[in-house]
Amino acid sequence: GSTKDSWVDSSFRSRFFTYCNRTRKGQDDYASHTMVERGAMILGMNPRSLRAPRTWSLCLWLKRHHWVLVAQPLGETFTARVVDDFVHNPQYCFNIEVPCSQFFLVYELLVEPNGFFLMLSVKPDFDLQSECVVPLGTVGPLCFENLQEHAITVVRRYRSYSLVGCNCQHFANDLALSLGVLPKDLPKDEATAFAHAASDGAVTVGAASVIVAATAAVGAGCASAAAPAAASLLGAGSVVLSSVAVGATAVGGVCGLALFTVAGGYKILYDGLREEDVQCSEQADDGEKS
């Protein structure tokens, strides 16, 4: 193929970006399977306490560039049974009981070559005092199954996983918003786009901070992004949104390229990576019928 085709192919396969089309058959089931399986184990071992509606304390766990939502049960105290099968990064096999003050549910969005997926785990040694933890407030009353339903509903809106516009940071914030709390921090890429919009106004074509978006692909629901400057984009300090949004399918060509301002291009990419709420409801109904 041509040099341009080779560049596009290598960009899609780069370590900074993983393309996953949410509309491919079975993606919804794939995305939620691990969470549903682990949730069944957690609930099966703690049915009475977790089926009761209660207040939950939420916080964001900022593991450098990877963001996680953590929920802790409040209200009536209980003792929870925990095994290594659903513990966050277990180092050995165990079966223990912990007070609810050490029962932290960890919700995160992960990605692998086969697609993006939800991960649910329990972290008894979670440190609320860590500088990486940002308290969000309380929600409820909700039962454990309500939390799981919110997480699945959020991820069903995602067409694709993308370093820019739809990543783990977006999931953590979107889940918090779905549960009724407003995070103080925007995802790094979103904050960068807004910062450029506020400081630069309209950025002209040819400036250092432009987004190249494939507008034809956005309408087809295949908007994705390659990020050659990923480390600088998501890092702290001075950041420049100099990423390239390549919106063709994984095997298709790049066509209809257009240049946008940072904020405008980011908004188009952001919207293209998500389904409308109505579309998600219809797809969920179709899945239940089948």
Side-chain angles (χ1 to χ4, degrees):
S2 65
T3 302
K4 181 182 289 186
D5 291 336
S6 298
W7 179 85
V8 171
D9 183 69
S10 63
S11 295
F12 272 97
R13 300 177 189 278
S14 73
R15 63 189 293 267
F16 297 120
F17 169 75
T18 302
Y19 174 86
C20 316
N21 190 349
R22 202 207 70 85
T23 60
R24 70 178 176 81
K25 185 178 180 180
Q27 175 59 53
D28 276 345
D29 290 339
Y30 182 85
S32 60
H33 175 74
T34 301
M35 168 172 280
V36 170
E37 187 178 72
R38 285 186 163 218
M41 287 192 288
I42 295 170
L43 186 61
M45 293 185 178
N46 306 278
R48 182 175 175 276
S49 301
L50 295 184
R51 282 202 169 101
R54 63 175 63 246
T55 301
W56 297 80
S57 176
L58 303 182
C59 62
L60 278 179
W61 181 16
L62 312 183
K63 301 167 62 178
R64 298 193 64 187
H65 304 319
H66 183 61
W67 291 11
V68 174
L69 187 74
V70 179
Q72 179 189 23
L74 302 178
E76 183 182 354
T77 60
F78 64 93
T79 299
R81 185 181 170 194
V82 176
V83 298
D84 60 282
D85 289 328
F86 54 73
V87 162
H88 188 270
N89 294 334
Q91 301 301 310
Y92 51 88
C93 297
F94 58 84
N95 184 336
I96 60 174
E97 290 186 342
V98 298
C100 60
S101 59
Q102 293 178 246
F103 188 75
F104 295 93
L105 297 173
V106 177
Y107 295 87
E108 54 190 324
L109 183 66
L110 302 178
V111 65
E112 62 183 13
N114 290 333
F116 57 91
F117 64 98
L118 292 167
M119 176 60 73
L120 169 63
S121 56
V122 175
K123 187 170 176 59
D125 60 346
F126 184 71
D127 182 9
L128 281 172
Q129 305 306 316
S130 170
E131 62 181 13
C132 300
V133 174
V134 180
L136 297 179
T138 59
V139 297
L142 297 167
C143 67
F144 171 78
E145 291 163 303
N146 295 145
L147 299 178
Q148 183 165 291
E149 289 167 0
H150 276 271
I152 292 174
T153 299
V154 166
V155 85
R156 271 184 174 160
R157 291 195 63 208
Y158 300 160
R159 286 192 176 112
S160 304
Y161 181 97
S162 173
L163 179 66
V164 179
C166 191
N167 54 46
C168 62
Q169 297 181 8
H170 288 270
F171 169 73
N173 269 29
D174 289 347
L175 181 53
L177 286 168
S178 174
L179 292 169
V181 295
L182 180 63
K184 298 178 182 178
D185 299 316
L186 291 174
K188 298 296 185 182
D189 60 327
E190 190 172 349
T192 300
F194 281 121
H196 273 271
S199 61
D200 299 337
V203 182
T204 58
V205 173
S209 300
V210 296
I211 291 180
V212 183
T215 54
V218 170
C222 300
S224 308
S232 124
L233 169 64
L234 295 179
S238 177
V239 289
V240 176
L241 189 63
S242 56
S243 42
V244 181
V246 183
T249 61
V251 295
V254 177
C255 60
L257 293 177
L259 295 179
F260 298 94
T261 64
V262 170
Y266 181 84
K267 181 64 166 61
I268 289 174
L269 177 61
Y270 180 96
D271 291 342
L273 290 165
R274 288 162 175 77
E275 301 280 7
E276 296 292 338
D277 291 336
V278 174
Q279 289 176 295
C280 290
S281 299
E282 290 175 349
Q283 290 176 3
D285 293 340
D286 291 341
E288 291 174 0
K289 291 176 182 177
S290 61

